[in-house]
Amino acid sequence: MKKILLMAMVAFAFMACNGNGADAPSKDQKAIDAATVQAPSLIGQAPEAVDKALVKAGFTQADVEFAKVAKRHLPARAPQMQNAEEPVEVVYLYNITEDIMENEDQSKSIAYVNSVLAKGDCIVIAMAMYLEDKLAGIACDVMVPMKDSCSLIYTTVSDGLFKQMPKIDNVYATWQGQVGKEMYTDHAAFVAALAAAKAVEANEMGSYMEKGYGYYGHWDYPDEAEIAARQAKNEGIFADCSMFVIDLAHMDLMGF
């Protein structure tokens, strides 16, 4: 049986590109935005419209079999899908191919990923989920080269999603975030804290009842000790990584 290297769906192998950097290259930010910030406008649309938008942003659609393999390895994600009906899942890849991810020689796969991130580029994997031929949600994982300001790639997405929500009133629109152990109800303060932090984990969750969708975000920027622990635990497959996850779902379609 093939040894499958699932680098963004479960955990992620890539090297650090330490130094001074800003946000993602413009073409990468375009791809990231298409699967995150622009996703609310795609909710409820047909697969053809979603495919057109993601392909235009630089994604390629993966083989259906890959999605089936990936699903078996997926950890629990938020928002959780409560609907008993099984969604149809379509995986899209940016700056990586199925051949690289499924290569039996993991050293070659890791070398490829390292080469992409060494150039300062990002790798993105998005899973579009459909119910009754309508987009019900997108799960997006992004691999980010580790730089001093790499958190700005995540905060750009966070700002883009939050700005689409109305005034927070804890009834029709809710939001909360966490940076390290600190909890936030003020999004601006959350973004400022995250942008200033380096070795930190952060989470946020928002819901917009009027439009019926919710989103969850997670940012992971490990310190040297955590990187060494991951490398030891996973026999060198997991390296130092900076990454984030955005899950967005239509609450009615997904059974909330």
Side-chain angles (χ1 to χ4, degrees):
M1 183 177 180
K2 276 189 175 183
K3 293 181 179 179
I4 306 295
L5 181 61
L6 298 171
M7 291 171 287
M9 291 297 184
V10 199
F12 320 91
F14 48 118
M15 74 182 225
C17 297
N18 295 315
N20 296 314
D23 51 357
S26 59
K27 61 182 179 63
D28 292 2
Q29 193 68 56
K30 178 181 177 182
I32 294 168
D33 287 350
T36 56
V37 178
Q38 295 167 19
S41 66
L42 296 173
I43 294 294
Q45 293 199 31
E48 294 80 7
V50 178
D51 184 79
K52 181 179 180 180
L54 294 180
V55 170
K56 183 178 180 180
F59 285 91
T60 57
Q61 189 177 135
D63 184 82
V64 175
E65 289 302 312
F66 172 77
K68 291 179 180 178
V69 173
K71 182 181 177 183
R72 289 199 297 269
H73 293 268
L74 276 170
R77 306 181 67 107
Q80 294 293 325
M81 294 177 292
Q82 305 296 329
N83 199 317
E85 182 179 350
E86 191 76 8
V88 175
E89 299 165 345
V90 181
V91 174
Y92 289 86
L93 306 176
Y94 177 82
N95 271 348
I96 196 166
T97 65
E98 295 167 70
D99 290 343
I100 294 297
M101 299 185 73
E102 297 179 0
N103 197 321
E104 290 185 352
D105 186 343
Q106 293 182 348
S107 63
K108 291 183 178 179
S109 298
I110 293 171
Y112 173 84
V113 173
N114 285 346
S115 70
V116 172
L117 289 132
K119 293 186 295 184
D121 296 334
C122 299
I123 291 174
V124 189
I125 297 181
M127 179 181 285
M129 294 165 283
Y130 297 92
L131 287 173
E132 298 179 352
D133 289 330
K134 294 181 179 180
L135 183 69
I138 290 184
C140 182
D141 293 6
V142 184
M143 303 178 187
V144 180
M146 289 182 72
K147 299 180 180 180
D148 289 347
S149 59
C150 61
S151 297
L152 296 181
I153 301 175
Y154 177 83
T155 58
T156 296
V157 172
S158 180
D159 276 336
L161 287 170
F162 184 80
K163 287 176 180 177
Q164 297 179 61
M165 299 179 65
K167 181 179 179 180
I168 302 301
D169 61 11
N170 296 318
V171 177
Y172 297 104
T174 64
W175 181 90
Q176 63 179 2
Q178 181 176 359
V179 179
K181 295 182 179 180
E182 189 73 23
M183 299 298 298
Y184 293 86
T185 56
D186 184 315
H187 184 265
F190 166 81
V191 167
L194 182 52
K198 290 187 179 180
V200 69
E201 286 191 42
N203 300 278
E204 64 176 308
M205 183 176 292
S207 63
Y208 186 0
M209 294 299 293
E210 184 178 341
K211 290 192 174 180
Y213 72 82
Y215 72 90
Y216 166 84
H218 174 77
W219 169 250
D220 179 23
Y221 190 156
D223 59 18
E224 293 183 2
E226 177 63 20
I227 289 169
R230 294 180 185 183
Q231 289 174 325
K233 181 179 179 181
N234 296 282
E235 301 176 346
I237 295 176
F238 293 50
D240 34 346
C241 73
S242 181
M243 58 79 62
F244 65 86
V245 172
I246 293 288
D247 287 344
L248 184 143
H250 191 291
M251 291 181 282
D252 291 335
L253 291 174
M254 301 303 273
F256 287 89

